[in-house]
Amino acid sequence: MSDQSMSDGGDNHTEAEETTKLRISFVLSPSIRSQTQRDLLELPSEPIAVPSSIRKKGLSAVVNHLLDRKVPKEEDTSGSDSDGSNSDDDEAKLPAIPFDFLLQDKLLRLPLESAVRKEGLSTERALEIQYFPARLPPKKEGESESLPDWITAMDYCTGSGSGSGSSGMLFTGGADGVVRTFQGGNDSGGGSLKELTSVAAHTGSIQCLSSTSVIGDNCSKTLVATGSMDQTLVTHVYDDAKDEAAAVLKLHAVYSGGHTNSMSSVALTTASGEKTIMASGDWDGGLALWSVPSTEDVGGEEVATEATTTSSKKRKG
């Protein structure tokens, strides 16, 4: 019965006899620690024969069959008498579970015979294959239209955003030197990313970006720091206005004297007492710590700020 469930649906008896088989033994992965789940998923350890060309999807169908669950049907399976006769029985079964498999502690991504040869395993005795429920791939919750240039840096700031139900804001930096602000997903999930505002922050490509929430007198604000290949380091303030149309990125400060080469990294943090500290690094190994001015004094003017700097040994060549 097991051999029948392993076949690829061929009707020719002689062709089935010529199919090379391998003996395997299914072992539930030790990573499944819940006894309730083990009782539901554990299979007998007796070896069974499967086609040597079987892959992950086929093995998953075998495990579901042995667990007496629904077996996913191949899209290209031709209609047969068995499909109609088993439809009622399948309806009464539990839904299929996608499984993943380990051979020699490595994920099985090749046909079984190819994986066995690659690992140099003997087929004189049954091969031990661990199985466990596969993790489903992540789902896209939203996307924006294509931007005019490469996205070279980004940061997601939780606890900020315009409008009710917002879970945060996404800030991106591009090769065109522009910082863009997107409305993040709402609490219910899903929806498209909506670009709210943008500002040309640099003349060169933005290489790094960091953001942090800052509590203001009237509303919460988000401080966004960006560093560029043009050797400039700036911060902008995003006002989390209730009206999306009023949301803007305002120039907060320009930081000078800390670097003599292209920026490569930046990090913002709000310490106790609402004091914000910024660290930045450049391609020469230069590291600078900055005391960030208050976000209450934002008038669009450029503010020169000095830094505490240190420099590591420059790279050779």
Side-chain angles (χ1 to χ4, degrees), residues 150-155 171-175 178 206-210 226-227:
W150 292 346
I151 298 175
T152 52
M154 68 172 64
D155 193 21
F171 299 94
T172 67
V178 175
I206 294 175
Q207 296 297 102
C208 48
L209 184 151
S210 181
T226 51

Side-chain angles (χ1 to χ4, degrees), residues 65-271:
H65 172 76
L66 295 176
L67 291 172
D68 199 26
R69 305 179 79 97
K70 291 182 180 179
V71 177
K73 293 181 173 59
E74 297 288 344
E75 292 181 358
D76 59 349
T77 299
S78 58
S80 63
D81 295 337
S82 60
D83 288 340
S85 60
N86 293 336
S87 59
D88 293 338
D89 293 338
D90 288 345
E91 289 299 324
K93 294 181 179 180
L94 292 172
I97 299 174
F99 287 96
D100 237 322
F101 302 89
L102 293 175
L103 180 65
Q104 293 290 93
D105 294 326
K106 296 179 182 178
L107 285 171
L108 186 63
R109 293 295 182 263
L110 298 172
L112 182 57
E113 186 178 28
S114 299
V116 169
R117 286 201 304 266
K118 184 178 180 180
E119 297 297 326
L121 300 177
S122 171
T123 57
E124 294 297 320
R125 56 182 181 180
L127 302 164
E128 185 177 287
I129 297 182
Q130 289 189 21
Y131 67 100
F132 54 93
R135 292 186 177 181
L136 298 177
K139 296 180 180 179
K140 261 192 321 187
E141 292 191 351
E143 60 182 12
S144 68
E145 296 180 359
S146 297
L147 300 181
D149 214 328
W150 292 346
I151 298 175
T152 52
M154 68 172 64
D155 193 21
Y156 188 83
C157 189
T158 58
S160 62
S162 304
S164 60
S166 173
S167 60
M169 301 295 297
L170 175 66
F171 299 94
T172 67
D176 54 3
V178 175
V179 178
R180 294 177 174 86
T181 306
F182 295 88
Q183 179 71 63
N186 53 39
D187 293 336
S188 60
S192 298
L193 290 174
K194 181 179 180 181
E195 183 175 346
L196 298 182
T197 185
S198 63
V199 63
H202 302 272
T203 58
S205 173
I206 294 175
Q207 296 297 102
C208 48
L209 184 151
S210 181
S211 64
T212 186
S213 294
V214 179
I215 304 300
D217 292 339
N218 300 321
C219 63
S220 63
K221 299 180 179 180
T222 306
L223 192 64
V224 184
T226 51
S228 171
M229 289 186 69
D230 62 11
Q231 303 181 22
T232 59
L233 176 66
V234 301
T235 50
H236 286 78
V237 172
Y238 177 79
D239 287 320
D240 295 344
K242 293 183 179 179
D243 182 10
E244 294 180 358
V248 292
L249 277 167
K250 296 179 181 178
L251 179 63
H252 171 242
V254 177
Y255 301 81
S256 59
H259 299 280
T260 58
N261 208 319
S262 297
M263 306 297 303
S264 57
S265 57
V266 65
L268 281 170
T269 184
T270 302

